[in-house]
Amino acid sequence: MWLEARYRYWLRPSSSNCYPHPQTFRTETASTVIDGLNRPEPAATLISAIRQALEADETLEAVVTDIQSFYPSANQKIVLERFVERVNASDDLAHKTEIVAFVRSLLDASPGGIPVGSNLSHVLGNLALEKVDAELERAYPARYFRYVDDIIVLCDRNETVDALRLIKDVLGAEGFALNDFKTDSAAREAWIPKSRGNETFRETAKRFEDFLLRLEVYLARYPARVGEIRTTFNAEGFNFPITRWAAAASQTRFQTFLFRQLRQRPVLTILKFLASDREDLIANAREMRPLLREELHFASQDIPVAGMARRFRLQRIRYLLNRLIYLYPIEQHVDLIDVARRLPELHETELLLTALHTGDATPLLLLPGRTIAAFVELWREAKSGQPNIRWEVFQPKICIDALATLVLGGVVEPPHSVIRALNPHQRELLKFCSGAPGQPVEKVRDSFVDEARRLQNGRAHDFIASLLDTRFSLRESSGLQLFRLDSTYPAY
C-alpha cells in the first residue's frame, strides 16, 4: 500500500526512550527508515550491544523474558489513540485523514490486537509498548533492550528478582503478560563466550556471508550467466536457489542493498568480489562444506539443558543446519536429520529434512509459510518429478495454504478429488498458483487473490511465482531463511 510506504518515516518513534533502543537501534537517515520500514535490526546487533555492556561491568547479569502473545494481545484502542496523536503532532504531514483511516481499517480487519504481516505492524507494536519502553528505560538507563517482544534488562546479580517483578508490573499495566516459559536469568558467561570454538565459529560465519555476497554480486553483474552458474552448482551437489536470487538481483532495490554491503568492505576485498568468476565461486563453496560441518559437529556436543546457554547453542546449530542444507546433496542429509531429531526445538527443520530425504511431503502440509516454501525451493533445485502426498489425509481448511505454495512452485498437481472438495475461493487460489487464467472481481475487496490476479495480468507466471516466493524471507526461525541467508535484507 502506497500510504504504508510513504508515511513510515513520519511515524517513527520521536523519543529516544522509544523502541528501537537508543543505544543500539537509532536510525541515522530518513531513507534508512523508509527502506527499513522501522524494522528491528538483526538480532546479532542486539546481542553485540548486550555483550559490550556486560563486558564493561562484571557485576551485571541479564534478565531475559518474552511478552505472551504480543501482537494479538495489544489494545487496539490505545494503539490507535497513540497513532492519531503522533499523526496530529506532525505539522508538515499531508493526508492525515487518509493515513488514520488506513490504519483504522487495518486494525478493524484484525480479530484482535495488531494484525501480523504488514510492515506497519512494527510501527504499531512500537506504539503499543511506548510506555513500557519509557518506564524500563527510566529504571535501567542504557541497560534496557528490546527486540520486538523479547525484553532484556541488565542488572546487578542480587537485583534480578526485583527486575523481573518490575517488568511484569509495567507490562501488566499495559495489558500484557510475561511468557514464563521464555523467562530466564543468565550470567554474563552465557553471553560472553571466550572459548576457541566461538572464535572459529565467528570466522567461519563471516567467510560464509562473504561467499554469499560474492555470489549475489556475480548474479547481479551477469544476469545472462544465471543458467550456466545454476547448472554448475547443481552438478556439484549444491542446492542454492540461484533462480530466485537472480530474479531478486535484477531489482534496483536489491542492487542498492548490494552496493551498500560492498561499501563496508576494504577496497581490495571489493575488487576481489568484482573479479570473481564461476570457478572462484565454486571453489569457495567447496571450501565452506567441511568448515561448516566441523562447526556443526562441535556445536552438537554437550548441549546445555536449559536457559540462555541452550538458546545460544540452538541458535548456532540452527544457523549451521540452515546453510549445510544448501551446501550438501540431499542424499547426504542423514546426519543433519539426526542432529535436528535430537532437539525438540528444531522439529520443523527435522520434518523438512526428512521430507526432502524420503520424498514424502505430507507432514509439511501442516506447516505453511517458510518451511513448506523451503521444501519447494530445495525440491526444485535438487529433485525431479513430484513429491509423494497422501491425499487421503488432506484437510482443506488446515492444509490449503501449504498446498497453494506447492502448486505455486510447480512441484504438485492435486488430483480432481481434492479439487472438488475445496470451496470456490480455495479453487480460485489454486488456479492462480498454477498459472491458469481466472477473472478477479470488479471491485477490490482487500482480497489477496483479487490483488494478485490483477498483478498477474500482463505478467508471465514465472515472474509472479518468483516474486511471491520472496515473501517467505522475513526472519530466521525453525523454518529456513530462503532469501538472504543472514537476514540482513528485508523482504520487499
Side-chain angles (χ1 to χ4, degrees), residues 229-298:
I229 194 76
R230 182 178 185 272
T231 300
T232 303
F233 270 98
N234 286 353
E236 293 271 348
F238 296 102
N239 307 308
F240 293 117
I242 300 295
T243 303
R244 185 152 59 83
W245 282 346
S250 67
Q251 304 288 322
T252 302
R253 182 176 175 184
F254 186 73
Q255 292 171 358
T256 302
F257 162 75
L258 290 180
F259 176 71
R260 291 173 179 169
Q261 292 290 305
L262 282 174
R263 283 194 309 179
Q264 300 174 15
R265 265 71 175 180
V267 174
L268 290 179
T269 301
I270 295 175
L271 293 176
K272 182 179 180 180
F273 279 21
L274 295 176
S276 297
D277 56 21
R278 183 180 61 178
E279 287 71 25
D280 293 331
L281 293 170
I282 287 292
N284 201 180
R286 290 196 199 105
E287 292 171 0
M288 297 311 306
R289 279 174 165 168
L291 292 177
L292 267 71
R293 188 173 284 275
E294 182 179 355
E295 289 295 336
L296 180 64
H297 175 75
F298 181 82

Side-chain angles (χ1 to χ4, degrees), residues 169-240:
D169 291 344
V170 171
L171 287 174
E174 293 293 298
F176 296 106
L178 291 182
N179 186 339
D180 293 333
F181 181 73
K182 294 185 178 180
T183 297
D184 184 32
S185 176
R188 64 192 302 272
E189 289 75 18
W191 292 82
I192 312 174
K194 297 293 186 180
S195 68
R196 173 184 173 277
N198 286 286
E199 296 299 327
T200 59
F201 171 75
R202 282 193 286 269
E203 180 181 342
T204 299
K206 183 181 183 303
R207 289 182 63 176
F208 182 87
E209 307 313 334
D210 284 346
F211 156 72
L212 183 62
L213 181 60
R214 289 176 69 180
L215 177 56
E216 290 169 334
V217 169
Y218 182 89
L219 294 174
R221 296 189 67 206
Y222 305 109
R225 302 179 186 176
V226 171
E228 174 186 287
I229 194 76
R230 182 178 185 272
T231 300
T232 303
F233 270 98
N234 286 353
E236 293 271 348
F238 296 102
N239 307 308
F240 293 117

Side-chain angles (χ1 to χ4, degrees), residues 67-86:
I67 302 175
Q68 182 81 38
S69 303
F70 169 49
Y71 283 116
S73 61
N75 188 309
Q76 291 186 343
K77 181 180 178 182
I78 292 177
V79 170
L80 185 60
E81 287 175 353
R82 292 174 181 172
F83 183 87
V84 172
E85 181 182 356
R86 185 67 56 79

